[in-house]
Amino acid sequence: MIKEKILVIGASGQIGVELTLALRKIYGNASVVASDLREQNPLLEGTGPYVSLDVMNKEMLHVQVIRQNFTQIYLLAAILSATGEKNPHLAWNLNMTGLLNVLDIAREEKIRKVYWPSSIAVFGPTSPKQNCPQQTIIEPSTVYGISKYAGEFWCNYYHNRFGIDVRSIRYPGLISYKSEPGGGTTDYAVEIFHEALEEKKYECFLNEDTYLPMMYMADAIRGTIELMEAPEDKISVRTSYNLSGMSFSPKQIAAAIKKHIPDFEISYKPDYRQAIADSWPQSIDDTVARNDWGWKNEYDLDKMTKEMLDNLKKFLEPAYNL
Ligand SMILES: NC(=O)c1ccc[n+]([C@@H]2O[C@H](COP(=O)([O-])OP(=O)(O)OC[C@H]3O[C@@H](n4cnc5c(N)ncnc54)[C@H](O)[C@@H]3O)[C@@H](O)[C@H]2O)c1
């Protein structure tokens, strides 16, 4: 059996922290190296090795890969939708160069598997709003969406041309209690829980009926690892898989929170992120992932809301004085 050695790039971010911890449980602490441009997230401290690494510095990355004999790379470093609209060139540079650096090194060093996430942001105003299928009209209107769509086809190209086993998921908005979101349009669905517990009120930057596809982090981490562990012949999509968890609007998540915190109040003040949200589908059809490698979500809005509130209370008790 091959002894895996895994590099997680962007490990201090919203997904990176939880994915690194989950991979360490499976492969052992020493076999999963966390890396990031910023310092190590405190939640990772003492759980395994960490290296400071800039994915834009190809030489430095290459040296690490050779020195540590990595067999798999998870590339999570990116600039997300809302931040990307503020600095389009920076988003394009990081999202493209980072991916190409990893794919090139994977090719040269014969890395066994690469994971790189895409996003529902690949879809644009001309894509179907409801149950948006795997293959459809894809005309993204944000620089983030453009970079993800281009990235999907680079992954497909490196797979077809060089045999790289690169796998990918189009994540919806991810909701988590451990690490903070990093500048996406769906961040409101995390902020709302913190404000509900701390202030009992929240001013939402999207309007009340903005339905978006979302997923609880536990589902996203499980789905990612299931995809990466699926036999190669089960993987028919080498661009990126649609994956669906739940869809809701700010009004609906507020109502779900009110069941636990009856005096919680929400108000609405849409900003530039409303236009980004309006360009995306409201729900996603993930039949292909279900059929290919058995994807199944476990969390709906009510189950996620209860877990978020219970965990945040435990996790942040001293900060919120609960
Ligand atoms: N969080 C979501 O809701 C969501 C949804 C869809 C897709 N995604 C995708 O998942 C991936 C991870 O997202 P996230 O939410 O964890 O993002 P995040 O912003 O929370 O984390 C990204 C991490 O990458 C690091 N990073 C930035 N530049 C770097 C560089 N040059 N070298 C090394 N590290 C660098 C950052 O310091 C940060 O810790 C991204 O590709 C993102 O596009 C996320």
Side-chain angles (χ1 to χ4, degrees), residues 194-212:
H194 290 261
E195 296 294 307
L197 286 167
E198 202 174 11
E199 305 289 344
K200 297 203 169 23
K201 60 179 190 313
Y202 177 63
E203 186 179 86
C204 185
F205 58 74
L206 299 180
N207 72 35
E208 62 178 12
D209 289 324
T210 312
Y211 283 83
L212 286 172

Side-chain angles (χ1 to χ4, degrees), residues 9-16 35-38 53-56 75-80 94 116-120 144 148 170-174 180-183 186:
I9 304 172
S12 292
Q14 189 193 9
I15 301 172
S35 74
D36 205 289
L37 192 59
R38 52 177 158 154
L53 191 146
D54 181 356
V55 73
M56 300 293 277
L75 169 57
L76 305 173
I79 289 191
L80 276 70
L94 174 62
W116 171 84
S118 182
S119 161
I120 57 133
Y144 177 65
K148 288 296 184 188
R170 289 172 180 155
Y171 290 131
L174 298 179
E180 287 185 7
T186 51

Side-chain angles (χ1 to χ4, degrees), residues 269-281:
K269 197 179 174 196
D271 66 14
Y272 70 99
R273 288 168 283 196
Q274 185 66 49
I276 303 177
D278 287 342
S279 76
W280 291 346

Side-chain angles (χ1 to χ4, degrees), residues 10-154:
S12 292
Q14 189 193 9
I15 301 172
V17 169
E18 299 207 35
L19 190 57
T20 302
L21 293 172
L23 289 169
R24 282 181 174 159
K25 258 196 194 144
I26 299 169
Y27 294 99
N29 288 351
S31 300
V32 181
V33 178
S35 74
D36 205 289
L37 192 59
R38 52 177 158 154
E39 58 191 33
Q40 172 160 227
N41 187 299
L43 293 169
L44 293 178
E45 265 165 36
T47 69
Y50 174 82
V51 289
S52 170
L53 191 146
D54 181 356
V55 73
M56 300 293 277
N57 186 336
K58 193 172 180 181
E59 261 172 55
M60 193 170 100
L61 177 62
H62 204 156
V63 167
Q64 281 294 341
V65 169
I66 293 171
R67 203 181 276 163
Q68 304 221 38
N69 267 319
F70 289 114
T71 60
Q72 298 189 30
I73 299 177
Y74 285 69
L75 169 57
L76 305 173
I79 289 191
L80 276 70
S81 58
T83 313
E85 289 311 287
K86 288 187 182 154
N87 202 336
H89 284 261
L90 185 71
W92 176 258
N93 283 342
L94 174 62
N95 297 0
M96 285 297 94
T97 309
L99 174 60
L100 288 172
N101 285 350
V102 168
L103 290 173
D104 278 341
I105 291 168
R107 180 186 165 204
E108 279 176 53
E109 301 309 326
K110 302 197 169 27
I111 298 294
R112 276 190 1 92
K113 282 186 217 173
V114 175
Y115 179 74
W116 171 84
S118 182
S119 161
I120 57 133
V122 294
F123 299 116
T126 50
S127 305
K129 283 276 170 217
Q130 305 298 338
N131 294 323
C132 189
Q134 178 70 43
Q135 279 179 318
T136 183
I137 299 171
I138 300 189
E139 297 177 328
S141 56
T142 61
V143 68
Y144 177 65
I146 298 170
S147 74
K148 288 296 184 188
Y149 200 40
E152 289 188 5
F153 279 88
W154 276 117

Side-chain angles (χ1 to χ4, degrees), residues 215 218-220 222-223 226 243-245 286 289-291 293-299:
M215 184 177 286
D219 267 349
R222 186 177 47 79
E226 282 173 8
L243 219 63
S244 173
D286 59 3
R290 285 174 192 265
N291 290 344
W293 46 276
W295 160 250
K296 200 169 178 301
N297 63 303
E298 283 177 5
Y299 285 84

